Amino acid sequence: MSLSLPGRVVVFDYGEVISRTPHAARAALLDATGLDADTLFPVYQELRHDLDRGDLTVLEYWRAIAERIGRTWSVTEVHRLWALDFTGWFEVDPEVLALVEELHDGGTRLALLSNAGFDFGDPYRRSPMGSLFEVVVVSAEEHVLKPDASIYRETCTRLGIEPSAMVFVDNRAENAAGADAVGAVGVHFTSAAGLRRSLEELAASI
């Protein structure tokens, strides 16, 4: 029997929940830039918030990184770096995605809520994975990041539900807590097996 949560909508984060940590892509970025991890990735991560909030375009993001580390990258060079980084995020954890599909096949409503740049919107929606979700909410398109309460409420509005009907899964504890704060059920993701246990316990309580 497929896992099912009747009367609830399970909303998934994407990065490092459905997707795997892009270790190979990060190594490729270091090779392509000739930088070490301690130089590139603190700036990459700090500026990512501006990208994911929609305050920077992809080109502006990579050029801001270049400026911070004393480099100048052409559009051609930026495109290469973007492609290495972007494609790395689309290696999924098959165990997690299979669980998403199991929920879908069992009749559970599903959505995706991701802190991500504008470039992720269409791939999320138009990929095979995207067929499993009723609604996809991308932070850059909303100009707000999790765990701001407004992005959870907007997701519920688009789904036509009250927050109490939402189960939100995220690998960052603060984002799961943000869902709790608006009256949803936040689930802190640590592994596929742990997520299954949490959802089975929720299903048993319904």
Side-chain angles (χ1 to χ4, degrees):
M1 178 183 296
S2 295
L3 179 60
S4 179
L5 277 74
R8 302 293 181 93
V9 183
V10 182
V11 181
F12 284 87
D13 175 39
Y14 178 75
E16 298 178 295
V17 175
I18 295 173
S19 76
R20 287 178 164 162
T21 302
H23 296 297
R26 290 176 180 176
L29 281 173
L30 297 179
D31 287 342
T33 60
L35 298 168
D36 60 69
D38 289 340
T39 299
L40 177 60
F41 290 122
V43 180
Y44 168 103
Q45 192 58 48
E46 180 184 345
L47 293 174
R48 200 80 178 188
H49 298 298
D50 294 328
L51 176 70
D52 290 349
R53 197 185 299 107
D55 295 338
L56 294 176
T57 66
V58 172
L59 180 59
E60 289 168 343
Y61 167 71
W62 285 100
R63 284 190 161 166
I65 292 174
E67 182 178 359
R68 289 278 294 274
I69 61 177
R71 295 286 185 89
T72 301
W73 291 328
S74 67
V75 171
T76 300
E77 290 168 321
V78 167
H79 189 92
R80 181 189 179 203
L81 299 178
W82 167 80
L84 289 171
D85 181 54
F86 183 76
T87 55
W89 286 105
F90 282 91
E91 181 181 355
V92 302
D93 184 328
E95 190 175 355
V96 177
L97 189 53
L99 178 54
V100 176
E101 187 171 8
E102 181 182 343
L103 287 163
H104 175 271
D105 292 349
T108 302
R109 298 176 65 192
L110 302 173
L112 189 74
L113 169 56
S114 177
N115 279 356
F118 291 110
D119 47 338
F120 279 85
D122 277 351
Y124 282 160
R125 294 182 178 103
R126 299 181 185 276
S127 65
M129 173 197 73
S131 67
L132 302 173
F133 301 116
E134 286 185 36
V135 167
V136 172
V137 179
V138 178
S139 61
E141 297 172 355
E142 307 305 317
H143 294 282
V144 63
L145 296 171
K146 295 174 293 181
D148 190 287
S150 65
I151 201 164
Y152 303 103
R153 294 192 179 108
E154 176 61 23
T155 302
C156 290
T157 297
R158 293 190 191 181
L159 289 163
I161 61 172
E162 295 298 321
S164 58
M166 182 170 76
V167 177
F168 178 67
V169 180
D170 200 294
N171 65 309
R172 294 185 180 275
E174 62 269 29
N175 292 342
D180 285 328
V182 300
V185 175
V187 177
H188 180 209
F189 175 87
T190 57
S191 68
L195 175 58
R196 177 177 289 277
R197 285 193 300 271
S198 295
L199 294 178
E200 286 174 344
E201 289 170 3
L202 281 169
S205 70
I206 295 173

